[in-house]
Amino acid sequence: MVKDTPNKSGSGIVDIERRSSLKAIGGTLGLIAGGSLSIGSVAGENDPEPGISVRDATKVAQQIVKKASQKEAYRGFTEATVKTPELYYSLTGRRSDTDVVPSVYVFPVVDGNDHVGHVTTGAQEKMPPVVEYGTDPAPHLETEQTLSQDGLSPSSEREYLFQGPLSFGISAIDETTGEEYFVNLVSRLTQKLEDTPKINPSTDHTEGWNTLTNPDKADLSDVEPLNSGSITDVPNWTDTGYSNWPGCTPIAAAMCIGYHESFPNRTDIIDGLNDEMNTNPNGRTWPHNMPSGIEGYDSSYSASNNYTGRPAAAKGGVDSNNPPFVNTLGDKEAGKTDVVSDEVSPSDWDVLVGHSETVVGYEEEGSWSGTDLYLDTHNTWGSTRTVLVGDYWDTYMITTVEP
């Protein structure tokens, strides 16, 4: 089921119910424009080639799998290997809304015939070698399955898009109007390319790439974190058992609250937060409703959205045994309700939250570019993810929850 529900800033966000029989992305998009949307490409013939070779990216991906397998949540990586990656591009907005650059490689991680996760590495020198990894299958694998289920033949020019570690998608074209859309492969969120957050990394990671691809230098599995923290026994909840998708934000917040409860009732907490946050029927939540929704559900908790000082907020929550959650947003510049100076953070970005995940741990590692911060999360679909918080990803915030 598809509903066109643009936000207050007119950003053209279209919500697609996640649990509607997992309809093919191509098929659901067709409903938006009377059956005239098709999977398309924003990358042209003259787009630059990736600055990082598949061979070098594979070396890094293999190291990530080896290192991750040392964590309890990634024991499934112990005997696993990586398969041939898919190249994802990123929208930059430098000259037009459809400008893209090669951005990341996404590797399926397999143990025999079983897909046990995925790894995302950079595909150019300005993207970090290690971007994110998780225990859920590579996002593009689900695309192939859903396209085939609906009998849609994908275009040979189709390009995958990476707009942040919680935002993997594909481009789609309205054949009637020519408008282009970004379709999130996991959440099914669809929005116009012009309103999709852009990726413009500025740090040169060449030295890091040289280190990790040099066989004579230490690999990732030998690197000890400068600082780390984790919270055990945080529930890893998802939507199982629900007739409708309650929303990733209520689920993420519910895990934060459920951790503090002696006998948490998952259904009651998620449903209560869904109501108090005024989450819409497609599971989408406005940022300004999140803290008030948490406090409205249970006044013994306090919550706040952190638009600045985000790494400190995430680490502080973990260190104090108060799991926070991370949220990715729409285009924050287009979505500001008022013009504010760079020193002032808007009280709420006038865009629906794209996705939320519960933070259960972190690691800080010294690197060639300073200090890298990785967040371990429960992704609201029952899987674990580890994401790098870096300069390439700006449209996110941290919501802290304290009893």
Side-chain angles (χ1 to χ4, degrees), residues 56-355:
D56 283 346
T58 301
K59 292 178 182 178
V60 173
Q62 291 170 334
Q63 294 175 44
I64 296 172
V65 170
K66 180 179 178 182
K67 180 179 181 179
S69 67
Q70 300 170 11
K71 298 181 180 181
E72 182 63 34
Y74 290 96
R75 293 303 183 194
F77 282 20
T78 303
E79 302 295 330
T81 59
V82 297
K83 297 188 69 175
T84 303
E86 190 72 51
L87 175 64
Y88 284 62
Y89 290 79
S90 286
L91 298 162
T92 67
R94 293 173 185 171
R95 295 170 299 178
S96 72
D97 293 323
T98 59
D99 281 351
V100 296
V101 295
S103 185
V104 300
Y105 293 109
V106 180
F107 293 80
V109 179
V110 299
D111 184 354
N113 294 324
D114 297 326
H115 285 268
V116 295
H118 72 277
V119 165
T120 302
T121 73
Q124 57 160 298
E125 291 84 352
K126 288 190 176 181
M127 286 297 288
V130 185
V131 176
E132 66 90 46
Y133 52 94
T135 59
D136 47 339
H140 54 270
L141 296 179
E142 185 172 346
T143 307
E144 300 302 328
Q145 294 168 357
T146 54
L147 289 175
S148 63
Q149 287 172 2
D150 210 45
L152 180 66
S153 298
S155 167
S156 61
E157 296 181 351
R158 180 187 55 196
E159 302 294 346
Y160 291 105
L161 297 174
F162 170 85
Q163 300 308 128
L166 307 184
S167 188
F168 295 83
I170 196 169
S171 62
I173 300 174
D174 183 332
E175 295 176 342
T176 301
T177 66
E179 288 188 312
E180 295 178 280
Y181 291 83
F182 171 82
V183 185
N184 191 300
L185 292 172
V186 181
S187 69
R188 303 302 196 274
L189 163 67
T190 303
Q191 63 188 129
K192 295 178 181 178
L193 288 188
E194 64 189 60
D195 302 311
T196 301
K198 308 303 188 286
I199 296 289
N200 280 294
S202 58
T203 302
D204 189 343
H205 293 274
T206 301
E207 182 179 346
W209 279 104
N210 290 340
T211 298
L212 294 177
T213 55
N214 186 334
D216 296 327
K217 297 184 178 181
D219 65 20
L220 283 170
S221 61
D222 295 329
V223 177
E224 292 294 330
L226 299 175
N227 188 26
S228 65
S230 63
I231 309 175
T232 58
D233 299 325
V234 178
N236 195 353
W237 289 340
T238 185
D239 69 325
T240 303
Y242 292 91
S243 58
N244 294 306
W245 174 242
C248 56
T249 303
I251 295 175
M255 287 187 267
C256 300
I257 292 175
Y259 169 75
H260 293 289
E261 303 296 313
S262 299
F263 301 100
N265 184 305
R266 181 184 60 135
T267 301
D268 288 349
I269 298 175
I270 294 176
D271 282 353
L273 289 170
N274 175 281
D275 291 339
E276 292 292 338
M277 290 182 177
N278 199 27
T279 300
N280 73 22
N282 296 305
R284 308 297 307 290
T285 305
W286 292 98
H288 56 271
N289 286 338
M290 290 154 50
S292 60
I294 292 170
E295 295 168 2
Y297 169 75
D298 188 333
S299 60
S300 68
Y301 289 89
S302 62
S304 63
N305 292 336
N306 295 265
Y307 299 92
T308 60
R310 296 165 293 185
K315 292 187 296 180
V318 172
D319 289 340
S320 62
N321 284 320
N322 295 312
F325 58 100
V326 57
N327 313 274
T328 186
L329 303 173
D331 190 331
K332 69 174 186 178
E333 294 303 321
K336 288 180 180 178
T337 53
D338 299 298
V339 177
V340 297
S341 67
D342 292 338
E343 290 76 26
V344 179
S345 175
S347 58
D348 57 281
W349 286 340
D350 193 17
V351 288
L352 288 164
V353 169
H355 183 51

Side-chain angles (χ1 to χ4, degrees), residues 376-394:
D376 292 328
T377 69
H378 289 170
N379 70 356
T380 75
W381 294 305
S383 299
T384 297
R385 195 202 302 263
T386 300
V387 301
L388 172 64
V389 177
D391 70 328
Y392 68 94
W393 184 36
D394 188 44

